[in-house]
Amino acid sequence: MLTNKKIVLGITGGIAAYKAAELIRTLVKEGALVKVMMTKSAMEFITPLTMQTLSRNQVYTDMFVPADQYDMAHISLAEFADAFVIAPATANIIGKIASGIGDDLLSTTMMAQSKPTLICPAMNDKMLSNPIVQENINKLKKTGYVIMDSAEGELACKTAGKGRLPDIADIIEEIKTLLTPKDFKGARILITAGPTEEPLDPVRFITNLSSGKMGYALAVAAHRRGANITLISGPANLPLPAAEKIIKVRTAKEMHKAVMTHYRNADIIIKAAAVADYCPKTLAKEKIKKDKKALSLELEINPDIIADIGKNKGNRVLVGFAMETQNLLANARDKLKKKNMDLIVANNLQEEGAGFRTDTNVITIIDRTGECESFGKMTKIEAAGAILDRVKKIMSKKSNIKN
Ligand code: C5P
């Protein structure tokens, strides 16, 4: 999504300035067009040559250069940018922007621009918690700047605390959020993701191959579009996406309970979890011993979570998934009707690039009229985007959420 996006990166003088090199590299790798401004102190930590090489553009360092070299940089950069990022941002640049001071190229450009701007503070923990710095940060937030929370951990000054530059992957995700139109602003979305585990004894359980990638991708895509997200996740080994609430569960019954507690506060419910249909009828207290005889397990049926919501969904948009190995579309249509969904996303396990654990999916979205739209192989983030687009169409037809 960063292809051809124009990012102007301001680098200020903190030790984390060296990490800006990796940030530029990643932005360029993802297709962004990057121009870099460096303050004088930033150049004490890392050279413009590094940034020029990585960004494949000249680096802007000075206000006062012959006109033919910089072309009124503070104005032209403001016009060029789709978004500004300052990383790392020192207490000094934060203070200058908050006070309207423009005494070098970066601070002057900040005064001359009104594009979406992300500021990533990085400094000593005591500096960061200084009430004046905090007041400046709050002032910038109120003015519309997006300020990323600094990370906690070991700091260059040999102390530990809050003040580290966030991970580059997190900054990149925040830039994507910054650039995404907020067409789901105010919408409350409940997403379930991952497999469930159904224990037999203290060390064994029945599960499936779900990784949680599709559900987590939905959370990421919906967060970028401004939605308020509650994620209910089975055991998944993935970085947690940004969400207002994340509830971790293990079994289908725990997921059922969590969903029933929270779905009334949602406008949209997307059930991407691969919920176990059955669980062992009894849970052995001790590890089941091996015997010479065969062992049979008695299974009982788990609650069907989506069917339970379907019975009582009011005006909410309900989206389910269907993963099949045969008669995909017919089975999916049947499930949509039986469980009273608004949309069902069908994916065929036999198809290359679809299904569990992959970063891609091949989906068909079916609505209540039976109409279906098939998509070629795409990333799970792109698939999430296509699902949200269809949800938006349904949302625009519905109004006044009733409980
Ligand atoms: O019938 P099937 O399990 O294939 O239906 C898949 C859809 O139903 C998915 O959206 C899944 O999250 C949901 N489901 C559920 N509770 C179950 C089983 C499936 O909510 N016990």
Side-chain angles (χ1 to χ4, degrees), residues 271-273 275-277 303-306 320-321 324 335 339 341:
K271 287 227 69 276
V275 185
D277 293 324
D304 192 316
I305 308 170
I306 202 164
F321 276 73
E324 301 282 343
K335 264 179 212 171
K339 303 190 187 192
M341 304 178 197

Side-chain angles (χ1 to χ4, degrees), residues 60 130 135 162 292:
Y60 299 77
N130 179 306
E135 196 180 315
K162 195 168 174 178
K292 293 251 157 57

Side-chain angles (χ1 to χ4, degrees), residues 40 79 93 100 114 146 156 194 203 227 250 254 294 304 338 345 392:
K40 274 210 164 52
E79 279 168 8
I93 188 70
S114 53
V146 178
V203 296
R250 185 179 186 205
E254 285 169 20
D304 192 316
K338 273 198 193 132
V345 182
K392 202 173 113 191

Side-chain angles (χ1 to χ4, degrees), residues 2 4-11 20 23-24 27 32-38 55 57-61 73-87 105-107 109-110 113 115-120 171 175 178-179:
L2 290 176
N4 292 330
K5 289 286 185 295
K6 297 177 192 129
I7 310 291
V8 175
L9 173 67
I11 306 172
L23 177 59
I24 298 169
L27 285 167
L33 308 171
V34 183
K35 290 193 179 182
V36 178
M37 276 187 280
M38 294 176 78
S55 68
N57 266 316
Q58 91 184 86
V59 171
Y60 299 77
T61 58
H74 62 292
I75 305 297
S76 65
L77 288 171
E79 279 168 8
F80 164 82
D82 291 319
F84 279 89
V85 179
I86 304 183
L105 181 62
L106 178 58
S107 52
T109 306
M110 284 301 116
Q113 67 92 12
K115 300 287 174 62
T117 302
L118 173 68
I119 294 182
C120 307
I171 299 178
I175 295 171
L178 190 73
L179 287 165

Side-chain angles (χ1 to χ4, degrees), residues 117-130:
T117 302
L118 173 68
I119 294 182
C120 307
M123 63 195 78
N124 164 273
D125 55 335
K126 298 237 164 38
M127 288 174 80
L128 183 62
S129 60
N130 179 306

